[in-house]
Amino acid sequence: MKVIVTENKIQGGAKAFEIFEKGIKNGAKVLGLATGSTPETLYQNWVESDLNCSDLISINLDEYVGLKPDNPQSYHYFMQKHLFDKKPFKKTYVPDGMTEDVKSFCKEYDQIIKDNPIDIQLLGIGRNGHIAFNEPGTPFTSTTHEVKLTENTIKANSRFFDNIDEVPKSAICMGIANIMSAKKIVLMAFGEKKAHAIKEMLEGEISEEVPATILQKHPDVTVICDEAAAQELDDKYKN
Ligand code: GLP
């Protein structure tokens, strides 16, 4: 994995945008996109750029079960606000958190990913090493599925809601196998709360207990983190 350490998240977002822009100019058409506070600086650079997105397809990692697309806490809403409203894509896919048949929906989503192989996949990382909502213990062979969120993730994400009881208890999420099928992966992490997860991901043993460790097996991963998130890393990663 290639590691790029930037001074802060502003520079990290600019660096991540550079990678996406270059990839798109070189022919990437299908982008796997992510939500959370981490990619905000990337999307900021994106909307301020003159990059034309009208022939791009995006496939988002996850969505809360039970939130309508117009709910400000939904990942649909997040994507519209931070990117799609300002940069229209040819087609955007975000899992349907309101589906009445989650199982069939997950199969359809897997088919969408199969029909539109992801050129560049964006990821954040949870404090426990989760990627998307794939919590510790998720099989590396998993495809799109419904996830019961852990107490820790519910607590961490409650900062976006009025109170913790409003945080949905489950989500629909691409599986690890879907993520690993992307041709290129860009993972971003900012802040000291991510430092341990970043160290485990890069230096730890590959284990389903730390989902992000599977990325050690992917041939093309770039990790962009700020100095705070990189603080526990071996010196060889620091540039
Ligand atoms: C959530 C999301 C992940 C995200 C992670 C970190 O649980 N499902 O996709 O990477 O949390 O979020 P943040 O970027 O806000 O720290």
Side-chain angles (χ1 to χ4, degrees):
M1 286 194 262
K2 182 177 173 200
V3 181
I4 299 172
V5 182
T6 61
E7 206 176 312
N8 54 44
K9 63 180 179 181
I10 308 287
Q11 290 171 6
K15 192 75 218 170
F17 179 65
E18 239 173 62
I19 295 173
F20 271 89
E21 190 178 35
K22 188 168 164 216
I24 292 161
K25 286 188 173 155
N26 285 334
K29 286 271 177 273
V30 184
L31 308 179
L33 296 182
T35 55
S37 52
T38 307
E40 281 181 13
T41 50
L42 158 65
Y43 294 144
Q44 228 166 299
N45 277 274
W46 203 312
V47 298
E48 285 165 8
S49 75
D50 56 7
L51 188 65
N52 176 12
C53 300
S54 62
D55 59 350
L56 299 178
I57 295 173
S58 68
I59 309 181
N60 258 77
L61 285 170
D62 46 14
E63 176 60 287
Y64 288 115
V65 166
L67 296 193
K68 293 191 181 137
D70 62 355
N71 182 315
Q73 307 311 336
S74 74
Y75 288 168
H76 272 87
Y77 190 95
F78 177 100
M79 290 309 301
Q80 286 301 138
K81 178 175 157 197
H82 289 278
L83 188 62
F84 303 149
D85 281 346
K86 293 161 194 146
K87 286 282 176 192
F89 277 50
K90 178 172 152 198
K91 177 85 192 146
T92 61
Y93 296 99
V94 180
D96 178 5
M98 297 303 289
T99 179
E100 281 174 10
D101 184 349
V102 174
K103 273 219 167 112
S104 317
F105 180 81
C106 289
K107 277 201 186 128
E108 281 165 33
Y109 212 68
D110 283 338
Q111 194 57 47
I112 290 168
I113 299 165
K114 234 182 234 163
D115 294 343
N116 300 280
I118 296 172
D119 294 306
I120 312 176
Q121 175 67 57
L122 173 65
L123 293 176
I125 187 168
R127 293 173 210 178
N128 59 4
H130 74 235
I131 42 178
F133 272 128
N134 293 295
E135 298 281 11
T138 307
F140 286 154
T141 52
S142 56
T143 51
T144 307
H145 58 297
E146 183 173 7
V147 184
K148 197 175 167 309
L149 303 183
T150 64
E151 279 309 310
N152 283 340
T153 298
I154 291 175
K155 218 180 274 169
N157 289 1
S158 66
R159 67 190 193 277
F160 298 113
F161 292 80
D162 287 340
N163 71 65
I164 197 163
D165 298 330
E166 283 179 21
V167 187
K169 305 289 178 282
S170 68
I172 294 174
C173 170
M174 261 188 213
I176 308 257
N178 301 118
I179 292 170
M180 288 295 281
S181 73
K183 290 178 200 135
K184 180 180 187 67
I185 295 178
V186 176
L187 183 141
M188 300 170 75
F190 302 129
E192 62 176 349
K193 285 183 179 143
K194 301 292 172 72
H196 188 64
I198 289 295
K199 184 180 175 66
E200 283 286 296
M201 173 179 82
L202 285 154
E203 299 176 19
E205 209 175 286
I206 299 175
S207 150
E208 287 178 352
E209 287 315 306
V210 186
T213 55
I214 190 66
L215 299 177
Q216 292 176 23
K217 289 204 163 169
H218 192 283
D220 187 355
V221 179
T222 301
V223 180
I224 298 174
C225 48
D226 65 0
E227 285 168 4
Q231 64 184 276
E232 290 187 27
L233 285 182
D234 190 281
D235 282 344
K236 71 175 188 233
Y237 293 107
K238 298 182 184 162
N239 35 21

